[in-house]
Structure formats: structure tokens, C-alpha cells
């Protein structure tokens, strides 16, 4: 919805939903869920005409998912079928027809064959997806971050502006040895360029061929130093269907449990670099630098009345990017009924190549566009809190809250010098370039190669507060009533100073909404 002022809903109204799950005879299990959401409109005010109109922003939509699984054999092997479907009431030629697909179906068969008492397993799946809609919506889907069919330096896919459907497939085979002193695993997972399940699922990227493998040694006999310990190594590599190696990683790790039941881990890995087909957001390939990472963590006895833990993580690459993250945690159980926990985190991060925007009219070496990146220094702080109280075994109260603050400050903004590289032509430093704040505000005026253009000021600050208060009452065995109060507060700005505890307090006063919900489950027996 456009206009000078608009009142637009953030969520769809659920007209109805139902879920049925159960155990059938012969090792069969069934789960199915269906929901129907209403169409939604926004109120839009136009200053010039002084009129108010209603604009449709979401059609009436039906969702459905089905899962059938059968367990068989003495080793509890399984085979299953999953089907999902989405149908939207999008009118042909309407404004939403160019944004939303009309229908989407996906499904697949999966299996887990276990051998030798479950010591070995071989798993896999084959699946499909099919999405239909107006050509404008399918064109939008082909250009989305899941696919990037418009990439100018690839040969295996192209945008079809007249297409009214998009189809794809997924397949995997993986397995290994699950028990014993020496254990191993490995596999291959493939998602075709047109595979897309995001109407009722989650897929961050299609066009992937991933292979991985790992070997570990497990010692479970208690000794003088450790009750249990594991040492292992792993590697994984990814390509796209054009044969471009996107990444190669390798690492080692050590996990342990002490005689007093303290447990911890340390891991170290190396990223050997590659070519990213997503960094330029639909543009040419860009070099992914090599680097390394290390992680460490330790936790106290999980059965103690006071629990504690500490985790930290660091990484660095050859361009000078780095991350440092610290996650302490503490859990207190003052009584058998009450549990309190606090899990703060603090993250500092510098990325030498963070995408800012793409501008038309660039040089031929980058296919007529300028792919603008900058060096960003980010800070993040959060303090998740949990409080659980059991009035009775059948009645309990659960509370979760997370104030959050983050900021990012950019410097060294410039454009990609050439495909398959990570070099930048930094504005204001390279000959013939200049960058300065635009008098209009919130943008930068840039000059490069004799051309003048503007880019957005990417500095940011973000605050949010999310909380859930849930009262759960199991009024009869297997049947429960849930009363939920949820808060969603957020605020965004351009103040890029490093955030701290003060910004966490500001998150409580940010604008937001309150949501009240009731959920009822009923356990049926034959």
C-alpha cells in the first residue's frame, strides 16, 4: 500500500485452524494440519485528494501439511511421506498478482534404514516443489535471494519473464556409523536451481550441491580425568550447478565431561575460501576470503540447583574481518517449582565486505552496474530471561523476554573492482572518485568514472523487546489449554554508536504491540 499515510496490518487473521496427530496400526504415524487466513486491507490517505481508500494487502489463503511415517524392522527403520500445499485467493490482473504466487505444492519421500542393531544407518530423500502464479510474481521469485536467476556471469539458468510456474527438486543420501569407539558420517545433499518451498517451509538458497564427511573417536569408559570424551574432524564443500566452488571448510573438535559432570568443548576450523554467488545480490561472482575460527565453552553440572556456563567464539579472515562473541549463562532453581535463567550475549564484529546497494550505469567490467560494499563495525547486546513456575504438575507459568540492541557503522565504501575478486574501488580514495553527505539527508553523493549518483547512508541502530507469558493447564491427561500474552516492540534509527546496557533499557519503551492468544488441545482416544 502506498499513499501519504497508511494503516496496514502486520499479521493476517486466522479464520480457523486444525491439527490431527496420532498413532495408527502397523507402525504407522500420521500428522496433518490445515489453516485458513483472511484477506487483509490497509487504509490509505492521499494528501492531494484528501481521500481515504482501502487497499488489499493480503489475500485469503489456505495452508495444509500432511506427514505419514512408518517404522519397520527390528532396528526401527523408517520411511515417510510429506506433502504441503498453499492456495491464495489472488485475482488475476490485481495488484497482488504481481507480488504473490497463486499456489505452491511441495512434497517428498524420505527414509532412514538402520542396520546391525542401529549401529549403522543410511538416510535419504527425494522431493519436489511446484509454484504457480502470474508471470510478474514468478519473475519476482526467479530474481529473489533464493535463486538469483539474473546473475550475469552464469550459464546454467536464465530469467524467463513469461514463465507462470517454477519447479525444482531436492535429493540427498547420507549415513554413517552411530555407535562404537570409532564413528563416521558423510553425505551429499542437492537442491536444484528451481527448488523453492518457502510458501510453507524454509529454504535460504537453492542451486546447491553440498558434500560433507566426519570422523570421531568416542571414549565412554570413565577415567581419572574424564567421564567421557570425543575428538573428531570434519570437512564440507559446496558448489552450485554451474560448477563454481562456493566454499570448503575443515575443522577439529574436542568434547568432554569431567568426573564432577562439568562438560565443555573446544573447536577450531579453517575456511579455505571460494566464490560467492550471493554476495552481490544477483550480480556477478565475488571472491570469498579464506579465514579461521575457534570456539570454546564450558558448563557446570546440569543437575545442580545452580547451573552456569560460558561460551566464546572468534573468527578472522584474510581481508581483516573478525568476530568476537561472548555468551555467559546462569540458571537458578531456588525451589523445585521455580527456575530462573539469564543468558546475556555480547557480539563485536567487523566485516570488510558488507553489501550496501547496487546502482545502474556502472562500467562494462561489472556488467553495467556498480555493486557497492563497505566496511562495517557492528555491535550487539541481548539479555534473554526465562522464568518457569509450576503451581502443580498440571498447571504452570512460563515467561520469556529478550531485550536486544544492535548498531552498525560503515566506512571505506566503494564498488567491486571486478567479478571473481574482493577488491574495492574505495570512493574518496581512488583517483576520480568522491563521496560526501547529500544535503537532502540520509544519503551520500558519489562521483565515480565521471558519473554522479547517490547511495543510502547505511549506518543503523536497532532496538527490540520480545516477550511471551504462557499459562499452561493440562485439564485432562493429554489435553491442554494455553493462554498467551506476547509483546513485540521495536525501534530503528541511524545512531551507529556501539550499544550497551543503556540501549537495552531503551528497548522496553519502544513502540510495539500486544498480542493475546488462546490455544486448546484435546486428546482423543478410541
Amino acid at each position: 500500500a502506498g499513499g501519504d499515510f497508511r494503516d496496514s496490518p502486520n499479521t493476517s487473521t486466522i479464520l480457523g485452524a486444525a491439527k490431527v496427530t496420532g498413532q495408527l496400526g502397523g507402525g504407522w504415524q500420521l500428522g496433518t494440519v490445515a489453516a485458513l487466513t483472511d484477506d487483509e486491507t490497509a487504509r490509505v490517505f492521499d494528501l492531494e485528494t484528501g481521500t481515504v481508500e482501502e487497499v488489499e494487502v493480503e489475500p485469503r489463503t489456505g495452508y495444509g501439511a500432511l506427514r505419514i511415517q512408518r517404522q519397520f524392522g527390528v532396528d526401527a527403520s523408517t520411511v515417510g511421506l510429506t506433502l504441503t500445499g498453499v492456495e491464495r485467493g489472488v485475482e488475476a490482473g490485481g495488484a497482488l498478482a504481481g507480488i504473490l504466487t497463486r499456489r505452491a505444492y511441495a512434497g517428498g519421500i524420505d527414509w532412514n534404514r538402520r542396520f546391525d542393531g542401529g549401529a549403522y544407518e543410511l538416510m535419504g530423500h527425494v522431493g519436489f516443489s511446484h509454484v504457480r502464479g502470474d508471470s510478474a510474481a514468478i519473475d519476482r521469485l526467479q530474481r529473489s535471494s533464493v535463486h538469483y536467476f539474473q546473475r550475469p556471469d552464469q550459464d546454467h539458468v536464465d530469467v524467463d519473464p513469461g514463465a507462470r510456474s517454477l519447479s525444482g527438486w531436492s535429493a540427498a543420501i547420507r549415513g554413517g556409523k552411530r555407535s562404537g569407539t570409532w564413528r563416521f558420517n558423510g553425505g551429499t545433499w542437492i537442491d536444484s536451481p528451481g527448488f523453492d518451498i518457502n510458501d510453507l517451509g524454509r529454504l535460504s538458497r537453492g542451486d546447491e550441491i553440498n558434500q560433507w564427511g566426519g570422523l570421531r573417536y568416542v571414549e565412554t569408559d570413565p577415567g581419572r580425568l574424564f567421564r567421557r570424551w570425543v575428538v573428531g574432524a570434519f570437512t564440507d564443500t559446496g558448489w552450485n550447478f554451474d560448477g563454481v566452488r562456493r566454499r570448503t571448510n575443515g575443522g577439529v573438535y574436542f568434547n568432554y565431561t569431567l568426573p564432577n559432570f562439568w562438560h565443555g568443548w573446544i573447536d577450531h576450523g579453517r575456511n579455505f575460501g571460494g566464490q560467492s554467488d550471493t554476495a552481490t545480490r544477483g550480480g556477478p561472482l565475488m571472491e570469498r576470503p579464506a579465514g579461521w575460527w575457534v570456539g570454546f565453552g564450558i558448563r557446570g553440572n546440569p543437575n545442580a540447583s545452580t547451573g552456569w556456563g560460558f561460551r566464546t567464539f572468534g573468527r578472522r579472515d584474510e581481508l581483516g574481518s573478525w568476530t568476537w562473541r561472548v555468551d555467559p549463562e546462569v540458571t537458578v532453581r531456588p525451589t523445585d517449582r521455580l527456575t530462573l535463567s539469564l543468558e546475556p550475549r555480547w557480539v563485536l564484529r567487523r566485516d570488510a565486505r558488507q553489501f550496501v546497494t547496487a546502482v545502474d550505469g556502472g562500467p562494462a567490467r561489472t556488467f553495467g552496474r556498480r555493486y557497492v560494499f563497505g566496511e562495517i563495525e557492528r555491535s550487539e547486546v541481548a539479555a534473554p530471561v526465562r522464568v518457569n513456575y509450576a503451581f502443580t504438575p498440571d498447571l504452570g507459568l512460563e515467561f520469556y523476554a529478550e531485550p536486544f540492541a544492535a548498531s552498525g557503522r560503515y566506512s571505506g565504501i566503494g564498488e567491486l573492482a571486478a567479478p571473481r575478486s574482493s577488491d574495492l574501488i574505495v570512493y574518496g580514495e581512488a583517483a576520480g572518485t568522491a563521496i560526501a553527505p547529500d544535503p537532502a539527508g540520509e544519503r551520500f553523493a558519489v562521483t565515480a568514472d565521471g558519473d554522479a549518483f547517490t547511495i543510502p547512508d547505511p549506518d543503523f541502530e536497532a532496538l527490540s523487546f520480545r516477550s511471551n507469558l504462557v499459562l499452561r493447564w493440562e485439564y485432562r491427561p493429554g489435553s491442554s489449554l494455553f493462554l498467551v500474552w506476547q509483546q513485540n516492540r521495536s525501534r530503528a534509527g541511524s545512531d551507529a554508536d556501539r550499544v550497551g546496557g543503556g540501549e537495552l533499557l531503551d528497548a522496553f519503551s519502544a513502540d510495539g504491540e500486544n498480542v493475546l492468544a488462546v490455544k486448546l488441545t484435546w486428546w482423543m482416544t478410541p
Side-chain angles (χ1 to χ4, degrees):
D4 300 294
F5 171 80
R6 62 180 180 271
D7 180 14
S8 184
N10 294 321
T11 57
S12 298
T13 301
I14 301 175
L15 295 176
K19 178 175 71 173
V20 177
T21 62
Q23 301 278 349
L24 306 178
W28 289 95
Q29 297 173 311
L30 170 70
T32 181
V33 61
L36 181 67
T37 60
D38 203 2
D39 57 342
E40 301 289 347
T41 59
R43 295 177 63 249
V44 176
F45 177 72
D46 186 282
L47 280 173
E48 184 176 349
T49 63
T51 58
V52 176
E53 65 174 331
E54 290 192 351
V55 178
E56 186 181 24
V57 294
E58 183 73 14
R60 183 166 294 183
T61 307
Y63 303 87
L66 170 70
R67 171 68 176 171
I68 301 175
Q69 179 176 289
R70 182 175 185 263
Q71 182 175 299
F72 63 93
V74 295
D75 296 327
S77 299
T78 60
V79 61
L81 169 71
T82 302
L83 295 172
T84 67
V86 176
E87 288 277 351
R88 295 186 176 95
V90 178
E91 296 183 4
L96 293 180
I99 302 174
L100 298 174
T101 56
R102 185 168 290 108
R103 56 181 56 93
Y105 304 109
I109 299 172
D110 61 274
W111 65 89
N112 185 353
R113 185 70 172 93
R114 297 186 176 97
F115 307 91
D116 194 15
Y120 298 87
E121 65 181 4
L122 182 65
M123 298 176 287
H125 77 262
V126 290
F128 76 95
S129 69
H130 181 73
V131 184
R132 297 194 64 86
D134 284 5
S135 58
I138 299 301
D139 181 86
R140 179 188 178 100
L141 185 61
Q142 293 176 89
R143 298 174 184 272
S144 72
S145 60
V146 181
H147 306 288
Y148 286 142
F149 279 11
Q150 73 273 28
R151 297 192 309 274
D153 59 347
Q154 51 79 31
D155 299 320
H156 62 295
V157 290
D158 292 296
V159 173
D160 181 356
R164 293 183 175 273
S165 66
L166 182 67
S167 300
W169 56 271
S170 176
I173 187 75
R174 51 199 173 103
K177 187 173 183 288
R178 303 173 61 241
S179 63
T181 302
W182 287 99
R183 306 178 188 183
F184 60 87
N185 72 293
T188 300
W189 188 300
I190 304 174
D191 292 329
S192 77
F195 187 63
D196 194 303
I197 57 173
N198 284 319
D199 290 275
L200 193 59
R202 180 179 180 183
L203 178 71
S204 60
R205 182 76 181 128
D207 194 4
E208 282 200 317
I209 304 172
N210 295 316
Q211 291 184 327
W212 68 93
L215 177 68
R216 62 188 183 274
Y217 180 87
V218 181
E219 180 58 71
T220 57
D221 291 333
R224 185 171 61 89
L225 295 179
F226 302 104
R227 296 186 62 88
R228 181 182 186 274
W229 58 273
V230 180
V231 62
F234 64 90
T235 181
D236 71 271
T237 302
W239 297 267
N240 65 17
F241 273 61
D242 214 14
V244 174
R245 185 178 62 84
R246 304 178 65 207
R247 70 177 187 282
T248 299
N249 298 317
V252 294
Y253 58 90
F254 175 63
N255 301 336
Y256 62 89
T257 300
L258 299 177
N260 61 0
F261 291 98
W262 291 12
H263 58 284
W265 67 93
I266 184 170
D267 58 74
H268 172 67
R270 177 82 177 172
N271 169 22
F272 295 94
Q275 291 289 331
S276 173
D277 56 6
T278 61
T280 56
R281 310 302 197 267
L285 294 171
M286 183 174 179
E287 183 183 23
R288 177 174 288 161
W292 57 266
W293 75 88
V294 62
F296 165 80
I298 187 169
R299 287 193 176 99
N301 186 343
N303 298 316
S305 59
T306 299
W308 58 272
F310 177 82
R311 293 181 295 165
T312 186
F313 171 84
R315 71 165 182 95
R316 195 172 188 88
D317 68 28
E318 58 189 8
L319 291 179
S321 301
W322 55 266
T323 297
W324 182 31
R325 175 170 178 154
V326 178
D327 294 73
E329 60 183 77
V330 61
T331 300
V332 181
R333 301 179 182 88
T335 71
D336 292 339
R337 297 172 181 263
L338 178 63
T339 302
L340 311 171
S341 68
L342 175 65
E343 302 175 7
R345 70 177 179 272
W346 181 52
V347 184
L348 291 178
R349 180 169 179 171
R350 177 183 181 269
D351 287 315
R353 298 293 184 269
Q354 175 62 50
F355 182 81
V356 175
T357 189
V359 181
D360 291 331
R365 63 178 179 269
T366 52
F367 303 95
R369 301 199 81 193
R370 303 181 190 273
Y371 298 94
V372 182
F373 291 79
E375 177 183 299
I376 181 176
E377 292 190 3
R378 289 192 282 181
S379 62
E380 176 185 319
V381 61
V385 176
R386 300 177 189 271
V387 180
N388 297 336
Y389 187 80
F391 297 98
T392 70
D394 300 325
L395 181 64
L397 187 68
E398 299 181 1
F399 175 70
Y400 172 81
E402 180 177 356
F404 170 88
S407 67
R409 182 183 297 277
Y410 283 77
S411 61
I413 297 175
E415 64 185 67
L416 183 66
R420 292 181 173 266
S421 79
S422 57
D423 297 334
L424 294 186
I425 301 173
V426 179
Y427 300 142
E429 296 182 9
T433 67
I435 184 170
D438 184 35
E442 298 185 355
R443 300 188 71 83
F444 286 108
V446 180
T447 302
D449 300 324
D451 295 332
F453 53 92
T454 63
I455 61 174
D457 181 355
D459 289 355
F460 69 88
E461 180 189 52
L463 306 178
S464 76
F465 176 72
R466 302 284 187 264
S467 70
N468 288 292
L469 182 64
V470 181
L471 180 68
R472 176 184 178 275
W473 174 36
E474 188 174 356
Y475 55 90
R476 53 172 291 178
S479 301
S480 300
L481 172 68
F482 297 87
L483 303 178
V484 182
W485 172 32
Q486 181 183 72
Q487 286 191 82
N488 300 302
R489 300 180 179 274
S490 63
R491 187 170 72 209
S494 57
D495 183 4
D497 292 338
R498 184 173 293 181
V499 295
E503 284 75 20
L504 284 185
L505 296 177
D506 293 339
F508 290 95
S509 60
D511 293 336
E513 63 182 6
N514 290 276
V515 178
L516 299 177
V518 178
K519 178 183 177 182
L520 180 68
T521 65
W522 182 272
W523 179 261
M524 295 177 289
T525 56

